[in-house]
Amino acid sequence: NAGVTQTPKFRILKIGQSMTLQCAQDMNHNYMYWYRQDPGMGLKLIYYSVGAGITDKGEVPNGYNVSRSTTEDFPLRLELAAPSQTSVYFCASSYTSGTYYEQYFGPGTRLTVT
Amino acid sequence: DQQVKQNSPSLSVQEGRISILNCDYTNSMFDYFLWYKKYPAEGPTFLISISSIKDKNEDGRFTVFLNKSAKHLSLHIVPSQPGDSAVYFCAAIDGNQFYFGTGTSLTVIP
């Protein structure tokens, strides 16, 4: 099992450009999440999905969009990139049933917007 | 508004001694708590969790304590090992929403 994979690992964007951060998991997890981590801060939830076709906003959704067409993939779209979106982005997945909430994280994508 | 707080940015302990990492929260609706460990340039990895109906959960060298009246949880690592040096995040769950603390960087000195 590869677990949770994220591409790219690094990216530099110019202000106003768009990009998609890719996330895939091969553990057949139903839940998937996108977080961002700013320097010296904890992780902030951007969006999450409880299954294919279902997504919902987290704590900091503005400036982002997601889709979940399959169980395996959960891409994060940035439209009109802004310097405030400079961060490290983590994707995670979990099999949530009852009280089992353990999340598996990908290695992260470091994004710089200049 | 930080609902989960880790007020100690860093902690250093001697190898073999106990490491105690603390976490405070403000939302009484949190029903599940987790600790994660993170090495540089990697994603966090799950360490241990506790339901709000319990006050202690133990897994090997790691024990998490929950004091709901004080809205406080702690992670004890005994004995501490150099490989435990990492950033530790506590997290809390309200429904499907996860809230993370800002992390405590633990250094275990050989």
Side-chain angles (χ1 to χ4, degrees):
Chain A
N1 281 355
V4 179
T5 57
Q6 292 183 238
T7 55
K9 284 187 166 42
F10 302 94
R11 183 71 187 267
I12 299 174
L13 278 183
K14 293 191 184 305
I15 294 172
Q17 287 185 321
S18 302
M19 76 164 294
T20 299
L21 281 66
Q22 301 292 344
C23 174
Q25 53 94 7
D26 61 0
M27 297 172 282
N28 203 32
H29 285 168
N30 51 344
Y31 279 56
M32 294 188 76
Y33 313 80
W34 274 106
Y35 293 90
R36 58 178 287 174
Q37 184 187 17
D38 298 331
M41 302 295 290
L43 283 74
K44 300 279 189 184
L45 182 63
I46 304 171
Y47 271 96
Y48 67 95
S49 168
V50 303
I54 306 170
T55 62
D56 209 343
K57 295 177 181 179
E59 197 178 351
V60 290
N62 291 343
Y64 307 95
N65 279 301
V66 293
S67 59
R68 183 101 181 268
S69 56
T70 67
T71 299
E72 295 77 22
D73 300 296
F74 191 40
L76 177 72
R77 178 83 178 160
L78 279 72
E79 305 281 3
L80 298 174
S84 61
Q85 293 178 304
T86 294
S87 190
V88 180
Y89 292 83
F90 292 101
C91 178
S93 71
S94 67
Y95 179 70
T96 299
S97 176
T99 57
Y100 185 68
Y101 290 109
E102 178 181 335
Q103 291 183 328
Y104 293 81
F105 282 82
T109 294
R110 185 174 295 275
L111 175 67
T112 302
V113 182
T114 62
Chain B
D1 181 28
Q2 193 75 19
Q3 297 192 46
V4 178
K5 299 177 184 178
Q6 294 176 257
N7 292 318
S8 298
S10 62
L11 175 68
S12 292
V13 298
Q14 289 290 134
E15 180 179 3
R17 305 295 291 269
I18 184 171
S19 295
I20 300 176
L21 295 95
N22 294 303
C23 181
D24 297 295
Y25 61 95
T26 58
N27 185 350
S28 57
M29 298 301 292
F30 288 145
D31 54 6
Y32 209 72
F33 303 88
L34 310 96
W35 283 94
Y36 290 84
K37 177 179 178 179
K38 185 181 181 303
Y39 293 116
E42 294 183 10
T45 54
F46 170 77
L47 204 53
I48 193 169
S49 63
I50 187 167
S51 165
S52 61
I53 63 173
K54 296 188 175 182
D55 54 18
K56 177 181 175 181
N57 188 26
E58 192 171 353
D59 184 2
R61 296 186 297 114
F62 302 92
T63 303
V64 56
F65 295 92
L66 175 62
N67 182 334
K68 282 196 299 182
S69 62
K71 294 192 176 69
H72 177 83
L73 68 156
S74 61
L75 174 68
H76 292 208
I77 306 173
V78 183
S80 301
Q81 300 173 353
D84 295 330
S85 296
V87 177
Y88 289 78
F89 291 97
C90 65
I93 303 175
D94 176 8
N96 289 319
Q97 299 277 352
F98 280 69
Y99 296 89
F100 280 74
T102 52
T104 295
S105 178
L106 173 65
T107 302
V108 180
I109 303 164

